[in-house]
């Protein structure tokens, strides 16, 4: 409820998120508000921004895809079901059981406007309270207002009404101040006015915007707060708008990283999800994709065409044109080019994973070198090991996975196959071309390959030689 802080009176805040629409123009099996923008569903962006305004209660209106939306948002909100899609006004009515009769200010916001910022929402709340308004509309200036509801003001600039595109007269359609679909309402007046809505419009729906005229006729104060950035108003209704939302948010994310000391060689061709953390003096080349819950340290180099997903990268790491998934790379290590770290790979300090090396559910120890054309799966490698070219850790028998352990300071010759389960002690050597099936004790050299036999003059009998 309302509270006092010093002499300033602060009203309780509430929020209603509209997330019931299927989004037929998306032409997708995935419900509209769950389409991702920079790594997170649109409704997740909205939930995060709304939560940051510190409302006392959030109610999300769900309909199509209700269970999927609930799974995404969890217990951060309460839910109300809009079984029939009868308009935005009808959607807000569904929150009546949770909010009717409470004193305070209610934010009504759409789940498909992912570019709105916490700063803008807080400014809207503050402006609404400062004007002592019954409703404050978040507006924006649009050079091309096609498709948006228009803000109609009288001769002294007072808001009279909002006119939807399909209901606008020729003169009204020329207005460039548009409705973003986000509002602050006096909560008690909101639910009183909702009972007076009708469907006398081109769509035959209950428009939330009609409440403006209802409140005005009752002599209430109607206010409008215009955001400085039109891009924040973007509502996503089709794939074109989804691509634009991704572009705009990506630019916002990249600018923030650059301001924090990260070098992006080509920001327009660098794809970083919201929530990724990158340290200063890290350099990222064009074509890099960084997704999910990823942290990258300071002074790293990530070269072109690398992809990093849900991973932790330490300081002074170099990753060259490689894929890193759900893995940990410690300081001063280097990966690639064209390496693949699959889930649960851990590359210790100053280790080297070279070109065309694949690592899965394995630890590569400090200072160990796995140079090229090697598969390391379900294994633990100690410190300062040299793994030659073309080594395969044979971990799978078609049904079960088995583990290999290699001790410190060992040498594994090129073309060797290590058939797990296997324990190779420290300071051992495996001869090139060996297939190892037994444990190797400390200080031993293992060789397991067929004896070579040379047959004199046999090659003369081969057809391809005789044809020459």
């Amino acid at each position: 409820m309302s509270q006092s802080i010093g002499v300033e009176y602060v009203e309780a805040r509430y929020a209603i998120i509209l997330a019931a629409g299927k989004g037929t123009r998306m032409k997708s099996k995935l419900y509209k508000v769950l389409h991702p923008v920079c790594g997170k569903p649109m409704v997740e962006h909205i939930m995060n921004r709304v939560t940051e305004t510190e409302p006392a209660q959030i109610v999300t209106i769900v309909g199509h895809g209700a269970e999927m939306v609930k799974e995404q948002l969890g217990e951060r909100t309460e839910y109300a079901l809009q079984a029939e899609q009868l308009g935005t006004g009808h959607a807000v009515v569904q929150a009546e059981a949770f909010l009717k009769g409470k004193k305070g200010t209610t934010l009504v916001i759409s789940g498909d406007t992912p570019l709105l910022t916490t700063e803008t929402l807080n400014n809207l709340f503050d402006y609404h309270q400062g004007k002592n308004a019954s409703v404050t509309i978040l507006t924006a200036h649009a050079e091309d207002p096609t498709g948006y509801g228009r803000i109609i003001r009288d001769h002294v600039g007072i808001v009279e009404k909002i006119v939807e595109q399909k209901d606008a007269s020729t003169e009204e359609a020329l207005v460039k101040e548009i409705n973003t679909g986000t509002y602050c309402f006096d909560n008690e007046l909101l639910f009183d006015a909702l009972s007076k809505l009708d469907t006398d419009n081109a769509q035959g729906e209950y428009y939330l915007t009609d409440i403006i005229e209802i409140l005005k006729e009752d002599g209430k104060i109607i206010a409008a707060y215009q955001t400085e950035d039109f891009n924040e108003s973007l509502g996503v209704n089709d794939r074109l708008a989804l691509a634009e939302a991704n572009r705009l948010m990506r630019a916002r994310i990249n600018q923030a990283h650059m301001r924090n000391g990260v070098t992006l060689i080509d920001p327009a061709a660098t794809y970083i999800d919201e929530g990724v953390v990158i340290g200063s003096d890290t350099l990222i080349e064009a074509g890099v994709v960084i997704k999910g819950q990823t942290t990258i340290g300071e002074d790293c180099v990530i070269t072109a065409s690398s992809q990093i997903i849900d991973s932790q990268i330490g300081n002074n790491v170099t990753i060259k044109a490689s894929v890193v998934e759900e893995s940990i790379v410690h300081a001063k290590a280097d990966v690639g080019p064209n390496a693949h770290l699959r889930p649960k790979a851990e590359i210790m300090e100053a280790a080297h994973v070279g070109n065309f090396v694949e690592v899965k559910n394995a630890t590569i120890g400090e200072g160990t070198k796995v140079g090229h054309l090697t598969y390391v799966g379900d294994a633990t490698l100690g410190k300062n090991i040299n793994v030659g070219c073309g080594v395969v850790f044979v971990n799978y028998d078609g049904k079960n996975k088995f583990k290999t352990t290699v001790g410190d300071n060992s040498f594994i010759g090129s073309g060797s196959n290590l058939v797990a389960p296997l324990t190779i002690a420290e300071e051992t050597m495996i001869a090139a071309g060996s297939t190892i099936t037994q444990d190797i004790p400390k200080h031993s050299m293992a060789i397991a390959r067929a004896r070579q036999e040379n047959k004199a003059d046999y090659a003369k009998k081969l057809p391809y030689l005789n044809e020459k």
Side-chain angles (χ1 to χ4, degrees), residues 127-165:
Y127 189 88
H128 175 80
Q129 184 179 350
K131 293 293 185 180
N132 195 28
S134 62
V135 56
T136 301
I137 309 155
L138 181 64
T139 72
H141 177 84
E143 286 301 320
D144 179 7
T146 304
Y148 290 93
R150 309 302 202 276
I151 304 299
I152 307 303
R153 299 176 182 265
D154 65 15
H155 65 286
V156 293
I158 297 173
V159 176
E160 289 191 324
K161 59 182 177 179
I162 301 172
V163 178
E164 298 300 323
Q165 172 82 32

Side-chain angles (χ1 to χ4, degrees), residues 17-23 26 30-36 40-45 60-62 64-65 69 72-73 110-113 236:
I17 300 174
L18 305 181
K22 183 177 181 180
M26 297 295 288
L30 184 65
Y31 296 105
K32 180 171 72 169
V33 298
L34 295 176
H35 278 267
K40 294 180 181 178
M42 290 189 283
V43 73
E44 178 73 18
H45 286 290
T60 300
I61 311 303
V62 294
H64 293 290
V69 173
Q72 177 65 43
L73 300 181
S110 174
D112 64 1
T113 52
V236 176

